Amino acid sequence: MNALFILEFGNFSQSAPNWFDWFSLISSLLVSGVSIFFAFKLAESIYLKEKKDKNLEDLEIQNSEIHIFKNSLIELNDSIEKQIINLQKYDSNRDFRLVLHVDIKVDFLQFIDIKYLYRKVGFSNTEAVKKINDLMPMLYALYDFRESLTDEFRTYIKKYNYHESKFYQYRQLLYTKYFSICHHRAEVELSEDGNTKKWKFRADDEFIIRYSELIDKISSDDSIVGGTGLKDRAKLTNEFVIPLIAIAYQYVPEDLDAIEINDIGNEVNTAFLDMEYVTKMHFNVINVYLHNLRGVSVKIKEFLDII
């Protein structure tokens, strides 16, 4: 049994491969090599196709986002130009009628990938890239435009109304307080026909006489006070309130009525100055909004020319 095993082992070790064995080996290697080659080529083809499809998909997305972005900019600029016209009219009339265009919004910015814009114009195109860099911060600044402008307008109206309520004390100087002073410092006398009443002052009561002369002068000036009431606050202040303050001051401190008229007159004059100041500051801000909107409009047009 041992001899048989040795014989068989010896026979196997001494045997040599024939041509068929070599042919099988070479064929097997060739088949494996070809299979690997074609598998590689197939994988490469699939990869290149997927890459091409991905590039086409990216290009479609890019073109779609840029198209939406471009259309949104056109609509935005249309609203900006309308808002500019309305702000100019508001600044010119100063009539407390501010028209706000709610279409000035830049929510569309969240749907654009900025790199698509750079890719579209070319990263090496420094002039176009600069225009994009100039435009984007100005667009982002418009996010709170409506709220900011609305807050500015409301704050102005609130401040103006506060000072205006104090300015309305001019009515006391023209009517109620004047009549009250006349009531205890003068007598009422009738005209000859008995149809008209007028005050009769003591000859030495200079304050009320001068006060009355100023009242008569203002009441007869239709450019200041007319049938519909007060027409010109600036003229009333300059031609009535300030002169009345000066008259009353001459009889301070001996005349209590003059002291009171002087105090009221100063409050009215201060209120008028405060109204003018808050108005000036408000419209300075409005002009800043106008400047910024004009700048955005210019940058949008420049960008649309290159895209």
Side-chain angles (χ1 to χ4, degrees):
M1 194 171 179
N2 290 335
L4 180 59
F5 175 78
I6 293 172
L7 177 62
E8 290 179 353
F9 179 81
N11 289 337
F12 177 79
S13 62
Q14 293 173 3
S15 64
N18 56 34
W19 68 271
F20 183 76
D21 294 328
W22 285 109
F23 176 77
S24 298
L25 176 62
I26 293 171
S27 298
S28 176
L29 291 174
L30 287 173
V31 170
S32 298
V34 170
S35 299
I36 292 172
F37 174 78
F38 280 108
F40 170 77
K41 284 297 182 180
L42 179 62
E44 183 182 39
S45 176
I46 293 173
Y47 168 76
L48 292 175
K49 185 177 184 304
E50 289 180 348
K51 183 178 180 181
K52 182 180 179 181
D53 292 342
K54 181 67 168 57
N55 290 338
L56 289 175
E57 182 182 354
D58 287 345
L59 184 60
E60 289 179 0
I61 294 173
Q62 172 182 308
N63 292 336
S64 176
E65 289 194 14
I66 291 177
H67 179 72
I68 293 173
F69 184 71
K70 183 177 179 179
N71 287 341
S72 298
L73 281 182
I74 293 173
E75 293 177 3
L76 173 64
N77 192 55
D78 183 60
S79 297
I80 287 176
E81 289 180 339
K82 291 177 180 177
Q83 185 67 75
I84 288 173
I85 292 173
N86 287 123
L87 286 178
Q88 288 173 332
K89 183 178 179 181
Y90 174 61
D91 183 32
S92 176
N93 296 338
R94 303 201 172 190
D95 54 3
F96 307 102
R97 296 178 182 178
L98 174 63
V99 177
L100 182 64
H101 285 268
V102 296
D103 290 333
I104 297 183
K105 49 189 176 182
V106 289
D107 297 338
F108 62 88
L109 290 176
Q110 61 186 306
F111 302 116
I112 181 68
D113 190 334
I114 304 301
K115 72 173 181 288
Y116 290 152
L117 301 179
Y118 293 114
R119 187 183 297 170
K120 178 71 175 179
V121 301
F123 291 98
S124 60
N125 189 342
T126 55
E127 182 179 354
V129 168
K130 183 179 185 305
K131 289 181 178 180
I132 295 174
N133 291 340
D134 291 341
L135 173 65
M136 296 312 295
M138 301 182 80
L139 292 179
Y140 285 120
L142 292 177
Y143 259 113
D144 63 346
F145 170 80
R146 289 173 296 169
E147 293 77 8
S148 176
L149 183 55
T150 300
D151 288 344
E152 166 60 29
F153 180 70
R154 288 174 177 170
T155 300
Y156 165 60
I157 294 299
K158 182 178 180 181
K159 290 180 179 179
Y160 190 90
N161 288 342
Y162 172 77
H163 297 304
E164 186 180 47
S165 66
K166 292 183 175 295
F167 177 77
Y168 281 141
Q169 293 182 93
Y170 80 84
R171 295 168 177 167
Q172 295 185 47
L173 300 178
L174 270 177
Y175 309 113
T176 56
K177 186 58 64 176
Y178 171 70
F179 293 141
S180 175
I181 294 174
C182 288
H183 183 72
H184 71 265
R185 296 178 71 142
E187 296 178 356
V188 177
E189 64 178 20
L190 295 175
S191 60
E192 293 181 359
D193 58 9
N195 295 324
T196 306
K197 296 179 180 180
K198 63 178 182 179
W199 299 108
K200 181 180 180 181
F201 307 109
R202 297 192 317 272
D204 61 343
D205 196 345
E206 293 183 2
F207 169 63
I208 195 62
I209 291 174
R210 296 176 66 185
Y211 189 176
S212 298
E213 290 173 349
L214 190 58
I215 289 281
D216 292 340
K217 176 184 175 182
I218 296 302
S219 299
S220 62
D221 190 339
D222 291 338
S223 67
I224 299 177
V225 180
T228 57
L230 180 61
K231 293 181 178 180
D232 193 322
R233 292 176 174 179
K235 288 190 71 175
L236 177 75
T237 302
N238 293 326
E239 298 183 21
F240 173 67
V241 177
I242 294 177
L244 180 58
I245 292 171
I247 290 173
Y249 183 74
Q250 295 177 30
Y251 303 95
V252 174
E254 65 272 12
D255 193 320
L256 292 178
D257 290 330
I259 293 174
E260 187 173 9
I261 292 300
N262 184 266
D263 287 342
I264 296 173
N266 280 313
E267 286 188 18
V268 172
N269 185 46
T270 299
F272 177 76
L273 294 175
D274 288 340
M275 289 160 60
E276 292 289 290
Y277 177 77
V278 298
T279 297
K280 178 183 177 182
M281 292 299 101
H282 171 65
F283 283 99
N284 284 346
V285 174
I286 292 300
N287 278 284
V288 170
Y289 278 108
L290 271 170
H291 174 77
N292 291 340
L293 288 178
R294 291 188 187 109
V296 175
S297 182
V298 169
K299 294 302 179 183
I300 289 176
K301 291 174 182 177
E302 290 180 353
F303 174 79
L304 292 175
D305 288 339
I306 64 172
I307 201 67

